[in-house]
Structure formats: structure tokens, C-alpha cells
Amino acid sequence: MAATSSLDRAVVGDRPRPTPDLVLFLSFAALSAFGILMVYTASRALLETQGLDPSSLMVKQAIFAVVGLVLFLLMSVIDYRDLAGWSVPLYVITLALLGFVLTTAPVLEVQRWIQIGPFQFQPSELAKLTVIVVLAAVLAPAREEGMKWRRLLTALALVAVPAALIFIQPDLGTMLVLGFITLVVLFVAGTTMPQLVTLLATGAAGVVAVFKLKLLRDYQLARLQSLIDPSADPLGIGYNRIQSEIAIGSGGFFGKGLFGGALTNLSYVPAQPTDFIFTAVGEQLGFVGGTLVMVAYALLLWRLLVIAANARDRFGTLLAVGVAAMVSFQVFVNIGMTIGIMPVTGLPLPLLSAGGSAYLTTALALGIANSVWMRRTPVPGR
Amino acid sequence: MKTGWRLGVLGIIFVGMFTLLFVRLWFVQVAASAEYERQAQNRLVDIESIPAPRGLMVDRSGRALVTSVFVPHVLVDRSKVPAVDEDRLVQQLSGLLSIPALEIWTKFEAAGSGALVDLGGVDTDTAYYIWEHRSDLIGVRIVETPERRYPLGAVAGHIVGYTGKPSAEQLQADPELDPNAAVGKGGLEAAYDTYLQGTPGFEAFRVNARGSILEELQGREPVIGNSLHLNIDLDLQQVTEQALRDAIDLANQIKRQSGSYNGLARRGAIVVLDPRNGDVLSMAAVPAFDPALLREVTSRQLQALVDSDEFSYNDLAIAGQYPPASTFKAVTYVAAAEEDMWPEGVTGPEDRTECSAQLKAPFSDGSQQVWRNWTYPRDDGYLNLHEAFARSCNVYFWEVALDIWNTYKGTDREDLLQQWARDLGFGSKTGIDLPGEQDGLVPDRALFERYKQLQLENPDIGLLAEDRLTTASPWFGGDLLQMAVGQGSMLATPLQLAVAYSALVNGGTVWEPHVVARITDPEGNDVLQVVPTAVRQVPLHPETVQMLRDDMRRVTTVGTAASAFAPMGSAAARVGGKTGTAQMPKVCAVRDANDKCLQYRDSDRTSWFVGAAPIDDPRYVVVVMVDEGGGGSQVAAPAARFLFQYLLGLDTTEIVAGDRNEY
């Protein structure tokens, strides 16, 4: 009797309340908090020499973290299935912003930001999210195995437009993220082997064409070349990589201790609070700290894959997969660049790098994934 | 869900990506951490090396020949100059230092990217200007750099030598060596480089990424190198150099008066040695060498000087190889006396034989050659050994050689005369503490056979010296006769003659000549005390030595040099010596760019005089050589006489031509 009543409870009234993914949330929160601390250690010395408040960047990052937390919770509450309906306006707004940014004055030879009060907004960050949502919406109705070419090409065409606009900025890193997201989502959405091979071959041909036709700017080429021999140009773009690799290497197993990193404290690594934030981790907290950070990301990705596997519909699965693709690619390329196995592409480290647009984008994306998780089981009565 | 395997593949890809990151992180932070730590330290501490001044050189009474002073130099640290700014910086420096931009670029490229480039010394105003504008001139430094100074200019230039940047091989051999350091390249600077080099100091700063100094760390003051105390006497050195120039002028004056000559005298050398210990008291050579000139003139101007024969890296006193001519008769003299070899019909030094106008040398193989004495067509009367030496009778010494040839030809004693020559230091380096010394040449049968073989194998080979031996022939008695009077293939440096004569007059001790007496550290403590080194003790009977001294005195009082020494009056008897007049068959008149001779001309004779004083207890041996200077009695002997007057504290009298006798 008792057994029956419990089964009844599950089916009838008293349905299980939608629980958030605790591991996902805790990883998100831990990385965010840790990011604020790292941003402080990496920026205070430089700000001090510039006569600014040494904690100003940290405070800014903390504000983003609070806003990010709100957005995460907001996205968790919103039913992800409503996003499908948002995909068209979201796509149009994103294209409009990407178009607008190209009309602004270039900063350091690139047009990437829109100034909003004291903050800079980077539409290419929003584009990542848009592409995930649009791809998921377009590909969800597809057959689980054996995608139609027509659908595949539609998806590619939809990504191509924002990707092209981002390429013009130019922002090679973000373009590569979009490429990776597209590839991964298409794969999970059911592309056949011939389709996948064609896709990869076209991509490879595209890369060759970019080099041959000199579509890359000189500095982009130089960055790729610096991967091969950074010491060939120690004061050029390879400088960042050499400095960051040395800083991380000198950290050793346990690191120099918090605030103990000489290279970090003396601002030896350029762009350290942003793209090279992992350098601060490596030098100060050593191999142990770096490994813990990677474990946190691994937990995030594990949860995202679990969410994808348990989503109630294919739209949810593809959303979670898109978010996982975005996070994994950025983590790999960013950390890889600081330890010398990836070129310097200017991709932020999710949740750790200083910068609002990237942080909020990741927070939103993880919120969406959490929303997918919370609605994983078919809830009766809905 | 059918997509499960696809998510699985994605999971595996993620695991792969993270594994890659993890392995690389392990390598960077654990496996190779020490190397990264070292590089990190290098980035945090800026070490600026302060070059050490090289040690001083002082003469035997402590007067400075070479000193070091600090001069502000402009250095560019290319590793601190962003590549995009380099062009602008070079333009700025070019204007500031009045150096063509191209020259700066050449120096940059020679030093390599990221290197520290020394653009040379500047005056204090420029140095201050650069220092004040250092924020506009990123990577440019003013470094107080030691430079050599020569208070007496070119005096003793060949002995002092010169310094320069280390060669590629030196840098490879010693990775610690600063590419901008000065290392010895010639003369004493090279021979005693390790002693002269000081210990560089450094300044160390803790810096931030933009090179701003945060803190000065413990540095180290540079320490000056050790001082060389020379045996050279600066007064004597100056007198010697003047005497050499005067002798060359005298030779050319005689040539112009006679109106018949093949070429002017442009080269010469004088060596003054202490025969009691091998101390080099003075040593001069023309073409001279002025170490200061190397910095003052452009390389093009320098090449013009070298081409015009007014400047040479080559010290003829130690590297000039000439037939010693009649000065070598002293060797034949002692060989005759010690080995009991005499002209036909002569049994001892007192027996006389005819110094005929010519010698029809009857060789034991039946062949006969005719040799003319310098008095030809006159004969020179009947002479014994003493008179033959004083009058430089060739026939007498030829006959001594003939006796050796006819007695020992083909036996192991055939090289008796060569053995005496080699024992006295001919044919090998004397071991003087200067680089660039030459061996000279003592010819013998083995040498001729070797070269004959070489020429058979390769007809194009230049033999011995391109202008001295033009055909490969077997060793004949005639070759030995030539050698007995210092001609033929016999070659010696002025220093070798000084060493050999020192041994002859001091009783047989062959000294290793030394320029440096001792080396002291900056506090004045002895680092090295040069002890006179005897290379060999040649067994000479004291009677032979005294006899030779007496006969050398005969040369300056009644012999070939009597007219040259006449201005000394009775003091000529305190001096002894021997004249020499070498025949140089051909010299090169025109050379091509590869130094290959295109055209030869007849050469004038080399003028020699070797003397010792006070002859009864010699303290000085003087060798004077003037290339194409004419007769030894005419030019070299008067110059030597002038030096002996100076050395013996007598009133010096002008160097004027002596009688022309002995050819």
C-alpha cells in the first residue's frame, strides 16, 4: 500500500518541484567570485601606478557578477521554450547592433564596442548567444539522424551573416567561437557523416583561402605566426605569450601566493585582467590553482552535457550543447594561449576575465541551460 | 534518446581538450618551472654591466705608456627598442651624434637584433643632452666606458699593440665575454690580455615592465686590470725611434746624391737588448704603428696609410725576415774557432791566407764555381781571422765553409754550421712575449730536398720565398758558402740577431727576450715576476768569446765601421760590432689585389749593423737594419754609433754616412 501511494503521489498531485542544477550553479558562482579576486590581483598594481583606485576594476567586475547572478536566475525562471519565439527578433536586433558597431570610430584599429555610459557593450558577445538560440530553433525540428541538406544550409546561412559582420570588425576569436558552436550543434542535431566531412573540408578550404587571399589583417597573421616562434618578435605580439608563459611557469606547483606574483604585481603581462587573467592564477596559485580552475570548468561542462542529455525536448538539448560548445572552446583557446599552445586570439576566459559583455553573456547562457534542466521531466498538467 | 552517442562523442572531445591543457600546464608549471623561474628573474632585474678599465703599461722607471680613461659612450639596447620605433631612433641619433644613419644601421646589423650596440664616445655636452632626453630616447644609454690613452702617441706603438671588439671565435669560446668589451688584438695588449682585462662591475635594479627603476640592488664596482711594467726605457725608446727614422732619411739622402738606386728605403728596425738577461730595452720598427690612429681615422684612411707603407700592423723588428749577410760571419767565426775549420793552409786564427779578389771554389765533386769578394777586382791582401772579420773578407769565410763542406759533405756533421746557427737561435722564434714573431730560415740539404720534392709535385708552388729562391735545386756546396756569409736562403729577424749576438758576447747564454718585467695588481702587489729564461747554453770557450769581442772592437776602430764610429773618438774602442750588407735579388714592385706579385724589380741592399757595448762586459746589444738602406757601414753603423753614444752616456753626434766599403 505504501508503495502504491508513493507512486500515486508522483503521478498525481504533489509533483516534484523543479530543482535548479546545484553543481552548475555552484561552479558558476565559485568561478565568478574567484574571477573578482583575480581581477583585483591583476589590476591593482597597474591602476595604482596610473593614480587610480586600485580596486576600481574589481568593483566593476563585482557589479557585473551581481547583475549576472540576477540574469542567471531570471533565465532560470523563464521557460526556455519561450526562447524559440524570441529567436527572430533576437537575430534582427543582433544584426542591427553588429551593423551599427561598424559605423563607430575604430579603437586600436578595430570596431568592436558600443559605448553606453561608463560601460562598453560588445555586440559580438551577444551574437554568440543569438547564434545558439537561432541554431537550436532551426535544428530542433530536424530528424534525429540524417539531417536534410536544405536545413543544414539554412542553418549555415543564418550563422554566416553575423559571422561575416564580426569578421569585418575584425574579431577573429569570436568568429572562431561561432564556427565551433555551429559545428558542434550541427553534429549533435544529427548531421550525417558525409555532411560532417563536407563541412570540415569546406572550413579547412576557407582557412586556406583566408590566408591565400590575404583576408587576414597583418596583425592577425602575425599573431598566428607568433605561435610558431614567439621569440622571433619579443616586442611584437609574441611578447604577450612569452610573458604569460614565463609568469605561469615561474608560479611552479604551489604558486607564489596570493598577491605574491612578481610579474603579475609589476604589470609584466599585458591585458592581464582581461584576456590573460589565467596568468594571474598560474603565477600566484600555481599548478594547484590552475588545476582547480580547470576542474570547475570541467564540472560546468559535465553538467551542460548532462542537461543536454536530459532535456525534455531537442530544443533544450541543442541549447545546452551550444552553451557547452561556447564555454569549452573559450576555455581551451584562452588557457591554451596563456601556456603557449594556442595563438593569441583575444578570447576572454568565461566568468574569470574582466569585462561585462562576456561575463553577462556567459551568465545568460548558463541561466538558459539551468532553465532547460529545471524543466527536464514532463510535468503533468502543463 | 538517439542523440546520446553524439553527446558522448562531444564529451570525449571535451576530455581530450582538457587533457591537453592539463598536460601542458604540468609541463610549464612543474616540469620546466625552474627555467621559467630563471627567465622571470631576468625580467625583473635589470643588470647593466660596467666595463672595467684595462690595466696600465709603464716603462722600467714607471712612466706611463698606456693609460685608461672613462669616456661617456652612447649605447643602444636594441632589445628595449620597439621595432617600429627603431627607424625614428636611428634618425634621431644620426643627427645627434653626427654619424650617418647608414653607419648606425651597419653597427646595428653587425651586433644583431636585441643586442647592445656601442655607438662610440661622445663629449659631455652630448652625453648630458641624451641623458636629459632619455625619456624620448627609449633604449639609449650613456655608459661611462673605459678607453685607451697613449700619452706619448705612437711611441712604442708596435710593442703596445691595440685593442678591439672580440672576434666571433673569441665570443664563442667565452660566452661570458661582453661583445662590446675591448680585448687585446696585437702587441702586449694581446700577449697579456688576460692580465690587462679587469673585472667588470655591474649595476642592478629592480624594474617594472616599463623599465622604471623600483629599487637599486647591490652592484659591484669595476676593478681595473693589472699593470704591465716593461723593460722598455721610454727615453731610449724615443731615441731609438728617432735614430731609425734618421737612418732611413740618411739612406735616402745618399741615394738621391748618387742618383742611382732601385728604390727608396722605407723600412727598418732597431732592437736594443740587454745581453745579460734578455731584457728588451727598446725596439723600433718603420713602418710604425700608432694605436691611437685606429680610432681616429676611418677604415678607408687606414687602408690608404697601410698601402702607402706609412703604417703597418707588422713589427719588422720581430717579423721582418732578411738575409743577415756579413753580420752572420760572427757565427761562422765561432764555428771555425770552436770546430777548428780553416781555409786551406791555415791552421789557426793567427795564420794568414790571401783574401783574393775572387774564389774559384774547387768542390770535391770536381765542379768549380767562381765567387767574387766585395773588393773585386782588387784583392784584399793576406789576412788572418781577426783581420778577415774586421775587413769582412768573404773569401776567408767562404773557405771556412769550403773546409766544412769538403771535410763533412754527406756525413752527419755536414750541417755543422747550421747547428751552430740554430743553437744561437736562428731558424726558430726567440720566444719574445709579443705576438707575430717569425722563424727566419736556416737552409740545409733536407730543406732543399723537401722543396725540390714539393716543386716536382706542384710546379706552381712558390719556393721558400717567392723572390729569394726561384729554382729548386739540390743542396750544393755553394749553398753552404752562401750561408757562411749570411746570404743565399738564410733569413733572420733583427731580434734573432740581437739574441744571437747577446749569446756570443755574454759567453754563450741564449736568452728568451722579454718586454715585460713584472705585472702588478691595482694595489701594487706582484702578480707575475718575469725571471730571465735561458733557452740554451752554447758551449763557447772563454778565449773564443774574448777573441770575438776583440775582433768586434776591431770592426769599429779599424775595420769596416771605423768611419761610422769615428765621431765617437777613442770611445769607439768601448764598442764592438759587425757590419752587414745583404743582397736582395728581387723585390716586388707591383702587387695585385690578392697580394700576388705582378712585377719584380731589383732591390737595393739591406743595411745591417750589430754591436755590443761596453765590449769587454756588454750591457747592450744593438741591432740596426734598414731595408734597401745601402751598405751596412754607410747607414746602419752610424745609427748604431749614435745609440751607443746615448747608451754609454756620451755626447751624441749627428748620424752621418760612413764610408762605403763592404757590399
Side-chain angles (χ1 to χ4, degrees):
Chain A
M1 235 17 218
T4 313
S5 68
S6 89
L7 181 72
D8 288 346
R9 229 181 9 254
V11 176
V12 188
D14 211 15
R15 59 192 165 127
R17 295 164 77 196
T19 50
D21 189 327
L22 256 184
V23 176
L24 182 82
F25 176 74
L26 288 177
S27 304
F28 162 65
L31 284 167
S32 303
F34 186 64
I36 295 167
L37 179 63
M38 283 299 113
V39 165
Y40 178 60
T41 65
S43 64
R44 68 191 175 100
L46 187 62
L47 291 170
E48 212 159 33
T49 59
Q50 290 169 345
L52 298 170
D53 176 7
S55 60
S56 55
L57 199 63
M58 176 195 75
V59 169
K60 219 167 160 182
Q61 189 67 11
I63 295 170
F64 289 135
V66 172
V67 177
L69 184 67
V70 171
L71 289 179
F72 177 91
L73 296 175
L74 191 67
M75 291 317 290
S76 304
V77 171
I78 293 172
D79 191 329
Y80 70 93
R81 281 164 296 187
D82 297 342
L83 288 177
W86 298 7
S87 61
V88 174
L90 192 62
Y91 189 71
V92 172
I93 290 168
T94 303
L95 289 189
L97 287 170
L98 285 174
F100 174 73
V101 87
L102 289 178
T103 66
T104 61
V107 178
L108 295 170
E109 290 184 45
V110 297
Q111 299 158 298
R112 221 176 266 178
W113 298 276
I114 296 172
Q115 193 76 30
I116 306 166
F119 300 102
Q120 288 169 326
F121 172 62
Q122 219 175 318
S124 56
E125 288 294 334
L126 176 67
K128 294 177 196 168
L129 211 55
T130 307
V131 162
I132 292 170
V133 173
V134 168
L135 278 176
V138 170
L139 297 175
R143 276 185 290 168
E144 287 194 11
E145 287 294 331
M147 185 184 292
K148 287 224 176 69
W149 278 101
R150 186 193 165 90
R151 190 179 294 278
L152 173 68
L153 290 174
T154 307
L156 285 179
L158 284 170
V159 178
V161 181
L165 288 171
I166 289 168
F167 180 74
I168 296 170
Q169 288 184 3
D171 185 350
L172 189 65
T174 305
M175 206 186 83
L176 290 173
V177 179
L178 295 190
F180 189 75
I181 292 172
T182 309
L183 195 67
V184 168
V185 173
L186 277 170
F187 170 70
V188 174
T191 44
T192 61
M193 214 30 97
Q195 284 170 336
L196 203 63
V197 170
T198 310
L199 215 56
L200 289 172
T202 313
V207 170
V208 172
V210 160
F211 274 94
K212 288 281 176 209
L213 299 176
K214 303 197 192 310
L215 290 176
L216 286 178
R217 298 226 173 153
D218 282 348
Y219 87 92
Q220 290 172 321
L221 262 180
R223 282 182 180 188
L224 284 172
Q225 281 160 354
S226 82
L227 177 68
I228 297 154
D229 180 15
S231 62
D233 176 24
L235 283 171
I237 201 69
Y239 180 74
N240 300 23
R241 271 198 51 233
I242 295 174
Q243 295 287 39
S244 93
E245 207 177 310
I246 289 171
I248 292 172
S250 70
F253 194 82
F254 291 109
K256 296 280 174 65
L258 211 53
F259 305 112
L263 293 165
T264 298
N265 282 330
L266 296 177
S267 328
Y268 263 84
V269 185
Q272 201 181 14
T274 54
D275 293 351
F276 284 88
I277 190 72
F278 191 74
T279 307
V281 181
E283 192 189 13
Q284 298 179 99
L285 303 174
F287 180 70
V288 174
T291 303
L292 283 175
V293 167
M294 292 211 297
V295 165
Y297 284 119
L299 285 175
L300 266 188
L301 291 175
W302 167 59
R303 287 318 299 171
L304 287 170
L305 287 182
V306 170
I307 292 169
N310 292 291
R312 71 182 298 143
D313 54 18
R314 275 172 54 79
F315 183 58
T317 299
L318 295 181
L319 280 177
V321 163
V323 174
M326 178 181 85
V327 172
S328 66
F329 188 78
Q330 288 190 200
V331 168
F332 181 71
V333 173
N334 181 287
I335 296 183
M337 138 188 119
T338 63
I339 55 181
I341 52 172
M342 283 279 124
V344 177
T345 41
L347 276 182
L349 188 57
L351 304 175
L352 251 59
S353 286
S357 306
Y359 182 85
L360 298 181
T361 302
T362 312
L364 281 170
L366 293 176
I368 291 170
N370 193 35
S371 170
V372 174
W373 173 254
M374 287 169 68
R375 289 159 187 84
R376 62 192 179 281
T377 41
V379 179
R382 189 177 158 128
Chain B
M1 189 180 247
K2 283 178 187 172
T3 51
W5 73 269
R6 289 176 186 264
L7 288 174
V9 170
L10 194 57
I12 290 166
I13 292 173
F14 288 171
V15 168
M17 285 159 72
F18 273 67
T19 307
L20 204 58
L21 288 183
F22 183 79
V23 169
R24 175 68 184 177
L25 195 65
W26 173 270
F27 171 79
V28 171
Q29 293 200 288
V30 182
S33 179
E35 170 60 18
Y36 285 109
E37 172 66 30
R38 194 185 62 75
Q39 291 191 29
Q41 286 309 319
N42 286 350
R43 261 149 226 263
L44 296 168
V45 178
D46 192 7
I47 294 178
E48 293 184 6
S49 161
I50 311 170
R54 290 172 71 82
L56 311 179
M57 293 188 202
V58 299
D59 84 338
R60 63 190 298 130
S61 47
R63 279 170 297 174
L65 265 99
V66 186
T67 60
S68 285
V69 294
F70 277 102
V71 176
H73 275 226
V74 177
L75 269 69
V76 181
D77 187 348
R78 287 189 79 193
S79 70
K80 299 224 165 82
V81 185
V84 288
D85 292 343
E86 209 159 45
D87 198 42
R88 189 181 48 78
L89 182 69
V90 168
Q91 293 301 333
Q92 274 178 304
L93 289 173
S94 170
L96 215 55
L97 308 175
S98 311
I99 307 176
L102 193 66
E103 207 169 297
I104 299 180
W105 279 119
T106 311
K107 284 188 177 181
F108 274 26
E109 265 149 42
S113 65
L116 197 61
V117 188
D118 188 346
L119 294 181
V122 291
D123 56 55
T124 36
D125 288 347
T126 313
Y128 268 115
Y129 182 88
I130 291 174
W131 193 78
E132 279 166 1
H133 293 76
R134 61 193 183 282
S135 54
D136 299 334
L137 297 162
I138 301 293
V140 180
R141 280 191 224 163
I142 294 293
V143 176
E144 289 290 326
T145 308
E147 273 187 10
R148 280 306 212 191
R149 284 290 180 272
Y150 309 93
L152 294 174
V155 171
H158 276 300
I159 294 170
V160 166
Y162 63 108
T163 59
K165 301 240 149 73
S167 65
E169 296 86 64
Q170 282 173 309
L171 285 173
Q172 201 154 24
D174 182 4
E176 300 281 295
L177 203 56
D178 178 356
N180 284 315
V183 297
K185 293 278 190 179
L188 294 175
E189 296 272 25
Y192 291 93
D193 190 44
T194 49
Y195 290 100
L196 290 166
Q197 273 180 24
T199 314
F202 64 85
E203 288 177 291
F205 306 101
R206 194 168 290 285
V207 294
N208 68 7
R210 276 170 307 280
S212 313
I213 294 168
L214 306 173
E215 177 192 1
E216 184 166 353
L217 303 171
Q218 179 74 45
R220 191 178 69 196
E221 287 289 313
V223 181
I224 188 169
N226 297 323
S227 296
L228 304 186
H229 298 256
L230 313 190
N231 289 318
I232 301 288
D233 180 291
L234 266 183
D235 289 335
L236 175 64
Q237 178 69 27
Q238 284 171 288
V239 169
T240 305
E241 290 179 12
Q242 189 56 49
L244 179 59
R245 286 191 291 268
D246 289 350
I248 291 172
D249 288 347
L250 174 64
N252 291 332
Q253 190 189 321
I254 295 169
K255 282 171 194 251
R256 291 198 179 94
Q257 274 167 8
S258 78
S260 128
Y261 56 90
N262 295 308
L264 290 174
R266 296 177 189 282
R267 280 183 260 262
I270 297 182
V271 179
V272 180
L273 215 59
D274 186 335
R276 298 169 300 176
N277 49 26
D279 286 0
V280 178
L281 302 178
S282 74
M283 200 160 74
V286 169
F289 175 84
D290 182 354
L293 214 55
L294 294 182
R295 231 196 317 272
E296 285 160 12
V297 302
T298 65
S299 53
R300 189 184 294 268
Q301 287 171 313
L302 195 66
Q303 191 55 46
L305 278 174
V306 171
D307 289 343
S308 72
D309 253 4
E310 283 169 27
F311 185 91
S312 175
Y313 290 96
N314 221 4
D315 182 355
L316 287 181
I318 60 172
Q321 302 181 97
Y322 294 85
S326 300
T327 61
F328 188 74
K329 283 175 183 160
V331 179
T332 313
Y333 179 110
V334 293
E338 294 285 334
E339 306 281 351
D340 212 21
M341 307 304 296
W342 304 107
E344 208 179 339
V346 174
T347 58
E350 309 305 328
D351 290 357
R352 289 194 167 81
T353 184
E354 189 189 9
C355 186
S356 49
Q358 58 184 2
L359 172 69
K360 292 195 171 74
F363 291 106
S364 55
D365 63 0
S367 67
Q368 184 165 304
Q369 278 178 292
V370 178
W371 303 74
R372 288 176 175 176
N373 193 29
W374 61 269
T375 54
Y376 183 88
R378 291 185 300 106
D379 66 53
D380 209 17
Y382 283 79
L383 306 175
N384 62 18
L385 177 63
H386 317 299
E387 293 151 350
F389 188 79
R391 298 193 53 74
S392 203
C393 171
N394 284 348
V395 173
Y396 190 97
F397 291 93
W398 281 332
E399 287 202 49
V400 170
L402 198 59
D403 192 25
I404 296 172
W405 178 258
N406 287 335
T407 311
Y408 294 121
K409 179 194 160 198
T411 73
D412 57 354
R413 297 216 69 202
E414 184 187 74
D415 290 343
L416 182 151
L417 187 57
Q418 286 91 334
Q419 199 50 53
W420 275 93
R422 290 189 183 115
D423 283 351
L424 287 164
F426 291 100
S428 59
K429 295 182 175 65
T430 63
I432 191 174
D433 47 348
L434 284 174
E437 198 191 356
Q438 293 296 316
D439 282 326
L441 189 69
V442 177
D444 58 11
R445 184 186 295 278
L447 178 85
F448 273 46
E449 295 293 334
R450 204 157 59 239
Y451 275 91
K452 186 184 168 191
Q453 192 58 37
L454 275 174
Q455 205 194 31
L456 282 176
E457 285 162 13
N458 179 7
D460 294 334
I461 200 164
L463 279 177
L464 298 180
E466 57 187 9
D467 45 350
R468 296 213 172 87
L469 187 71
T470 49
T471 54
S473 56
W475 179 248
F476 284 131
D479 295 313
L480 186 67
L481 263 64
Q482 289 270 44
M483 191 200 151
V485 297
Q487 287 286 170
S489 305
M490 177 78 198
L491 294 175
T493 66
L495 181 65
Q496 280 176 332
L497 273 167
V499 169
Y501 265 79
S502 293
L504 290 174
V505 299
N506 72 14
T509 309
V510 179
W511 292 108
E512 186 177 270
H514 270 281
V515 178
V516 171
R518 62 195 178 95
I519 300 173
T520 56
D521 67 17
E523 280 81 48
N525 306 312
D526 270 1
V527 175
L528 184 82
Q529 185 95 40
V530 177
V531 181
T533 315
V535 179
R536 204 177 292 108
Q537 188 67 43
V538 181
L540 285 176
H541 289 95
E543 309 84 68
T544 308
V545 174
Q546 193 50 51
M547 187 167 77
L548 178 66
R549 287 175 177 174
D550 289 342
D551 289 340
M552 284 171 68
R553 181 186 355 246
R554 229 178 256 269
V555 171
T556 56
T557 50
V558 298
T560 50
S563 63
F565 278 78
M568 272 182 99
S570 60
R574 295 175 62 192
V575 183
K578 182 71 193 84
T579 55
T581 306
Q583 300 183 16
M584 302 279 286
K586 298 274 183 198
V587 292
C588 189
V590 183
R591 286 185 193 277
D592 69 5
N594 301 325
D595 223 30
K596 192 173 158 55
C597 197
L598 298 177
Q599 192 189 322
Y600 291 95
R601 66 168 171 83
D602 286 331
S603 158
D604 283 347
R605 292 174 169 81
T606 304
S607 181
W608 282 104
F609 187 86
V610 186
I615 190 62
D616 289 318
D617 182 19
R619 297 199 306 271
Y620 310 107
V621 163
V622 174
V623 175
V624 179
M625 183 280 292
V626 179
D627 186 1
E628 295 201 74
S633 60
Q634 281 180 291
V635 172
R641 181 264 301 158
F642 179 87
L643 283 171
F644 281 123
Q645 286 176 321
Y646 176 83
L647 288 166
L648 295 175
L650 307 169
D651 291 337
T652 52
T653 51
E654 200 189 342
I655 299 177
V656 290
D659 284 350
R660 178 183 181 192
N661 44 48
E662 205 232 11
Y663 287 72

